[in-house]
Amino acid sequence: MTGTPSVDLAEQTRIVSRLAAEVPDTGLAGPTPCPEYTVGGLLGHLTGLAVAFRDAGRKDLGPTTDTAPDPAGVSLPAAWREELPRVLGELAEAWQDPAAWTGMTRAGGVDLPGEVAGAVAVDELVIHGWDLARATGQEYVPDGAALRLSHAFLLAAAEEGDRGGGIFGPVVPVPDDAPLLDQAVGLSGRHPGWVPPTAP
């Protein structure tokens, strides 16, 4: 990922915040395209990753950046409707500092160049934004710059045979002329046509 350009995360974090705001309390137990997470679990994961990558961008290393993600240990904060948009805003602000994209930092207990950590944060927001939208029946148009960086990151990971951790499954093939979002979703190990299963 050498030479990765910085991206302003502000619009993508606002998009994710708007999606989260439309999730009813009755929908928190529903499934998502990410098998490890219910909707509530996904929202809890987004809250945690926003804090972790906020601190990674600030180079404020400690417990929030040293802990590897564990889907089994994710919990949804009681005040998540206030906390999630707040920490997403702080995440975007942290990565607006050009220094966040340089030097070394840490996220998930892994030491990373700043530009790689930034790309991971963007990818998490883009793909999990899609997860959340699909799981809750909402339209989803990610920020264009964020989507392009997410796709480039996922493509490079696939070409290197690096799935980047437990949330990524085998690449799902999509047509070469498919929309860029569908291509990114396929590279992330998800099927672009996923819809919530119907109740029996």
Side-chain angles (χ1 to χ4, degrees):
M1 295 299 293
T2 301
T4 298
S6 61
V7 167
D8 188 340
L9 278 65
E11 180 56 24
Q12 184 60 30
T13 54
R14 283 193 289 266
I15 290 168
V16 173
S17 291
R18 289 196 294 267
L19 291 169
E22 295 300 319
V23 176
D25 291 343
T26 55
L28 294 176
T32 75
C34 201
E36 294 89 346
Y37 295 118
T38 61
V39 171
L42 180 59
L43 290 164
H45 175 63
L46 281 164
T47 304
L49 78 84
V51 171
F53 281 97
R54 174 199 68 191
D55 293 346
R58 293 172 175 174
K59 309 292 201 295
D60 183 11
L61 308 184
T64 61
T65 61
D66 291 349
T67 305
D70 176 14
V74 168
S75 61
L76 184 62
W80 69 270
R81 290 191 184 276
E82 295 75 33
E83 185 174 347
L84 180 55
R86 175 178 61 79
V87 294
L88 284 170
E90 293 169 352
L91 168 66
E93 183 179 6
W95 288 92
Q96 285 171 342
D97 183 351
W101 297 85
T102 63
M104 295 294 293
T105 189
R106 186 181 307 130
V110 179
D111 292 325
L112 298 167
E115 63 179 7
V116 174
V120 173
V122 170
D123 180 58
E124 292 273 346
L125 292 169
V126 169
I127 297 300
H128 284 320
W130 181 86
D131 287 335
L132 185 58
R134 276 305 174 102
T136 56
Q138 299 185 65
E139 291 189 12
Y140 180 54
V141 181
D143 173 67
L147 173 58
R148 289 189 292 273
L149 180 53
S150 172
H151 177 265
F153 171 77
L154 290 165
L155 184 61
E159 289 175 346
E160 293 168 8
D162 177 11
R163 300 311 307 155
I167 67 168
F168 297 127
V171 170
V172 174
V174 299
D176 292 340
D177 59 353
L180 192 63
L181 178 57
D182 286 1
Q183 294 183 39
V185 166
L187 287 167
S188 77
R190 294 149 169 80
H191 195 292
W194 188 94
V195 294
T198 56

